[in-house]
Amino acid sequence: MNNEQLVRKNGIVIAIDGPAGAGKSTTARLVAKQMGYLYLDTGAMYRAVGLAALQQGVDPDDADGVTALCSALNIAFETRDGQLQTLLNDKNISDAIRSSKISQAASRVAVHPGVRDVLVALQRTMGRDGGIVLEGRDTGTAIFPDAELKIFLVADPAERARRRLRDLEKRGESAKFESLLEEIRIRDIRDRQTQLRRGAWPASDAICVDTTGLSIAEQVDRIVALAHRQNRA
Ligand code: DC
């Protein structure tokens, strides 16, 4: 550990990584709340780029087109009524980015190194002073390889598809379990390849937490206990 890591102004950096549907968002949000930390949903930023590409008629697979588009976007977060909202060029897109269509577009735009460079630079700036929980695929590798606590959440694909189904139903979207399971498998393969192309994944010093059969409260308690231990170290 070098000195720079020891002087984060606002607390430690907690990186929560893992495949789609492993419970990263809910867990990260609640861990941040309990620790009094900021919460950064890095996946929402890739989703914002995916949405912008579809809205502006840019093919999500067109590396140069999406990178140019991404550099010109203004992606920001704000809290309203205790809920984190995602803004794209000042427009609230929090609901629009949660559809299955945008999930796939986000996974496709996330493949391009140019897009990742832009978003990773932004994410590093947002977390520079610590006191933050970052959630997303490369949080413990590319964004903050020196994060004081790295968690890798995993869960059975079937359990993850069931959770996705419940989330979509809550939002009034209908879906078939089998299709969601298939989507998760496709995204797992693409997301894993995207990360491996940029180096080892997950981070070798990440602590793996299997959330299959764990309640959200149990997951959160486990991570908060690890964070307090790390804060005392
Ligand atoms: O976590 P999520 O489902 O909201 O992420 C949407 C997509 O963005 C997902 O397919 C993987 C990608 N992603 C990424 O490549 N790196 C991140 N830090 C976060 C998300």
Side-chain angles (χ1 to χ4, degrees):
M1 215 183 250
N2 61 36
N3 284 339
E4 216 182 307
Q5 278 174 284
L6 298 173
V7 290
R8 296 208 206 268
K9 254 194 326 210
N10 301 330
I12 64 170
V13 170
I14 303 175
I16 300 190
D17 193 345
K24 295 189 298 293
S25 303
T26 315
T27 308
R29 203 168 46 237
L30 292 173
V31 169
K33 195 169 172 200
Q34 280 205 27
M35 300 288 299
Y37 278 14
L38 288 175
Y39 160 59
L40 180 59
D41 175 0
T42 64
M45 300 169 80
Y46 289 91
R47 287 171 180 272
V49 177
L51 175 71
L54 295 189
Q55 280 176 342
Q56 298 187 30
V58 176
D59 180 353
D61 298 325
D62 170 7
D64 291 342
V66 182
T67 303
L69 168 82
C70 174
S71 311
L73 296 177
N74 177 15
I75 302 170
F77 294 99
E78 67 175 37
T79 307
R80 278 188 208 156
D81 302 326
Q83 300 286 326
L84 187 80
Q85 308 291 327
T86 310
L87 308 182
L88 173 63
N89 298 335
D90 297 326
K91 192 162 175 263
N92 192 337
I93 52 159
S94 311
D95 291 331
I97 57 173
R98 296 296 156 194
S99 69
S100 293
K101 197 165 144 207
I102 300 300
S103 297
Q104 292 300 333
S107 173
R108 286 162 66 192
V109 300
V111 165
H112 310 309
V115 170
R116 304 202 69 83
D117 288 346
V118 171
L119 295 189
V120 166
L122 209 59
Q123 291 151 0
R124 282 194 186 132
T125 306
M126 289 169 162
R128 192 173 45 200
D129 293 333
I132 190 164
V133 180
L134 293 109
E135 172 234 318
R137 300 299 182 291
D138 57 352
T139 50
T141 50
I143 312 175
F144 281 104
D146 58 353
E148 287 80 2
L149 179 62
K150 299 179 188 178
I151 302 292
F152 194 74
L153 290 183
V154 294
D156 282 350
E159 167 89 13
R160 292 191 275 136
R162 266 193 299 276
R163 290 177 187 168
R164 218 26 127 194
L165 185 62
R166 273 201 303 269
D167 281 355
L168 289 172
E169 282 174 351
K170 258 192 242 161
R171 250 176 256 125
E173 266 195 66
S174 62
K176 280 210 172 70
F177 171 80
E178 288 72 21
S179 324
L180 290 177
L181 187 57
E182 183 57 18
E183 272 176 27
I184 280 187
R185 292 217 163 99
I186 294 170
R187 275 223 284 161
D188 274 358
I189 294 168
R190 196 193 290 120
D191 291 346
R192 170 167 284 276
Q193 284 166 348
T194 301
Q195 297 308 326
L196 290 178
R197 230 175 279 132
R198 293 176 69 89
W201 186 73
S204 57
D205 51 351
I207 299 169
C208 190
V209 176
D210 188 340
T211 70
T212 314
L214 280 190
S215 71
I216 291 289
E218 286 168 327
Q219 296 172 38
V220 173
D221 286 352
R222 209 171 278 190
I223 297 168
V224 168
L226 289 167
H228 285 313
R229 201 180 305 161
Q230 200 61 33
N231 251 334
R232 280 195 297 269

